[in-house]
Amino acid sequence: MSKKLVLAYSGGLDTSVAIEWLKIHKGYEVIACAMDVGQAAEGEMERIRQRALDCGASDAVIFDARAEFADQFVAACIRANGKYMGKYPLVSALSRPLIVKHLVEVAKAHGADAIAHGCTGKGNDQVRFDVAAMALAPHLTVEAPIREWGLTRDAALDFAAEHGIPVVAKKENPYSIDENLWGRAAECGALEDPWVAPPSDIYAMTTHPVDAPDTPEEVELTFAGGIPVALDGQVMDLFSIIATLNTRAGAHGIGRLDMVEDRLVGIKSREVYEFPAAAVIMAAHEELENLTVETELAVGMKDASAVWAKLVYNGLWYGPYKQALDAFFMQANTSIEGDVRLSMYKGTVAPTGRRSEKSLYQRGLATYDASDEFDHSMALGFVKLWGLPTKVWAETNGDQ
Ligand code: ARG
């Protein structure tokens, strides 16, 4: 009886030829598993399922994982304000642990011995797949045919022709693209020269800010427990809020990012991202955080945010440190509720109003008018004590 393997199947050239390669070179019976995390067009998942069977898979399963992706993975990122290197909202890094979770479930259901992914040996995604698998199913073997095979595009096409694999001969996309509900990542091609400006054909979710509408558009987001629950006063699930905002904010050219980033495997790479909804939601979340979170906790959240993002980027989603930080952020987000109004205009999103039942803003303390309730006499002693170390230092070292 042949060994069974569950392959994370995208429908693209690499994972299509990987099916046959795993059968021939590793002796597996291959079950393909494809997931919609918000990247698939209408009807595309069914076509992908059929393609997997046409390419030699013994079985093919597809999942609509969009709501789960939004509610379990993106939601955690929103609560943590997760941005790698302070900028990249972890688009690809969030989907990998979800994909592995489903691969492992399918592997268990089919009594499979292994799972497989189509990552190369140069990126972060291989780490995320392999380490998530180590956490969720240490008994399973993880195969990485593309990494092991060192596959080039031409070799893949030759292999397909040789073995009669019906790959769709699409016009070559010069970029390597990964996309989901939370955004889109592009690398390779012209981008490999970090001095070259991103070609306009690289963008798919956003309009160039120059071509965006000449009038600003307002949007109002309502949060509960740190998560958006309504858009312009209309209660919606998180997936729908993100999908709607991708369209609206994308039309204003919001959420483009061109950066050089540090991969875990030691390589600096140039990446171009688009994440219209993420840019709006995270700006709004940070705004409510400023309004409702006590000052020391706010500092702690910023520190923990950078750690959380790095752990997730580096593939440790299911590790204990990241899970403990999730618990911290869950608690820290309990006050993050209320409304934020933002203005979207030519590539920028700016909060213009915020309100909350949990607001720590007290007008009586902040005002400069006659209704001032702040006790000015308290400031005198406070400032003297606060400045005391500086005064002592200056008295001792002042003439140096
Ligand atoms: N560099 C990003 C990350 O590590 C995006 C990787 C996306 N993969 C791709 N094939 N473009 O999260």
Side-chain angles (χ1 to χ4, degrees):
M1 206 178 83
S2 66
K3 299 177 292 177
K4 273 191 203 168
L5 171 145
V6 181
L7 168 69
Y9 183 67
S10 70
L13 175 64
D14 287 3
T15 50
S16 292
V17 294
I19 296 175
E20 195 61 27
W21 191 88
L22 285 162
K23 287 164 69 180
I24 296 174
H25 292 273
K26 299 274 171 154
Y28 284 110
E29 172 191 333
V30 178
I31 300 160
C33 177
M35 262 155 275
D36 184 6
V37 283
Q39 85 288 3
E42 195 64 37
E44 192 182 344
M45 292 310 289
E46 187 46 44
R47 285 197 293 278
I48 289 177
R49 201 183 74 80
Q50 191 53 50
R51 191 175 311 148
L53 296 172
D54 295 346
C55 291
S58 65
D59 197 356
V61 285
I62 51 176
F63 289 103
D64 179 353
R66 294 176 301 172
E68 185 184 11
F69 181 54
D71 296 337
Q72 307 291 325
F73 293 80
V74 174
C77 184
I78 296 171
R79 279 191 289 267
N81 284 326
K83 293 180 200 160
Y84 181 62
M85 295 174 79
K87 295 199 271 194
Y88 161 51
L90 298 165
V91 175
S92 306
L94 295 177
S95 70
R96 303 317 186 215
L98 167 64
I99 293 171
V100 175
K101 182 176 162 232
H102 284 287
L103 290 180
V104 166
E105 279 167 10
V106 175
K108 285 186 178 155
H110 285 77
D113 312 278
I115 60 172
H117 58 75
C119 303
T120 71
K122 294 182 75 171
N124 299 308
D125 287 331
Q126 57 170 341
V127 182
R128 297 166 185 154
F129 271 104
D130 288 11
V131 177
M134 288 177 205
L136 297 180
H139 62 283
L140 288 179
T141 303
V142 181
E143 301 283 359
I146 308 304
R147 178 172 66 194
E148 191 175 332
W149 187 2
L151 192 67
T152 62
R153 190 183 163 83
D154 286 343
L157 287 170
D158 288 348
F159 183 88
E162 207 178 302
H163 293 87
I165 300 166
V167 291
V168 198
K170 272 198 298 193
K171 190 175 149 290
E172 186 171 352
N173 184 336
Y175 311 110
S176 166
I177 305 288
D178 184 51
E179 64 184 311
N180 60 48
L181 176 70
W182 199 228
R184 186 169 180 275
E187 55 194 36
C188 306
L191 298 174
E192 287 184 353
D193 180 347
W195 179 248
V196 168
S200 57
D201 69 353
I202 204 156
Y203 297 108
M205 297 176 85
T206 52
T207 305
H208 193 292
V210 165
D211 303 320
D214 291 325
T215 42
E217 182 184 340
E218 275 189 352
V219 63
E220 192 179 305
L221 273 174
T222 305
F223 285 76
I227 299 302
V229 292
L231 184 67
D232 290 334
Q234 213 187 321
V235 173
M236 290 161 80
D237 59 50
L238 184 57
F239 174 84
S240 306
I241 290 177
I242 297 170
T244 308
L245 274 177
N246 273 335
T247 307
R248 285 178 59 184
H252 288 277
I254 289 163
R256 289 184 171 193
L257 172 65
D258 172 0
M259 75 184 279
V260 174
E261 83 190 31
D262 292 312
R263 287 190 194 163
L264 179 61
V265 292
I267 299 170
K268 281 198 187 286
S269 72
R270 197 276 189 92
E271 315 264 346
V272 172
Y273 298 109
E274 295 173 278
F275 43 87
V280 175
I281 290 171
M282 290 177 116
H285 184 272
E286 282 169 32
E287 199 56 28
L288 272 186
E289 194 172 312
N290 291 342
L291 188 70
T292 66
V293 176
E294 179 272 337
T295 176
E296 291 302 325
L297 177 56
V299 173
M301 285 174 83
K302 292 216 164 40
D303 292 344
S305 172
V307 177
W308 190 93
K310 196 167 173 182
L311 293 170
V312 171
Y313 184 87
N314 289 341
L316 302 178
W317 180 272
Y318 293 111
Y321 193 5
K322 140 80 179 47
Q323 290 194 19
L325 287 179
D326 282 337
F328 165 77
F329 281 115
M330 193 63 101
Q331 166 74 25
N333 271 265
T334 49
S335 73
I336 301 185
E337 62 173 56
D339 307 314
V340 181
R341 189 183 58 241
L342 307 106
S343 172
M344 304 187 289
Y345 179 62
K346 298 240 178 239
T348 62
V349 57
T352 61
R354 67 293 281 157
R355 64 184 173 195
S356 172
E357 296 276 310
K358 298 272 174 69
S359 172
L360 302 178
Y361 177 92
Q362 293 192 359
R363 191 159 195 282
L365 292 177
T367 185
Y368 285 93
D369 72 19
S371 61
D372 186 8
E373 290 160 14
F374 182 79
D375 180 353
H376 290 242
S377 69
M378 291 192 307
L380 190 64
F382 167 74
V383 178
K384 275 190 180 159
L385 275 185
W386 173 249
L388 186 59
T390 305
K391 181 165 178 263
V392 170
W393 175 84
E395 283 166 358
T396 311
N397 299 283
D399 52 358
Q400 284 173 13

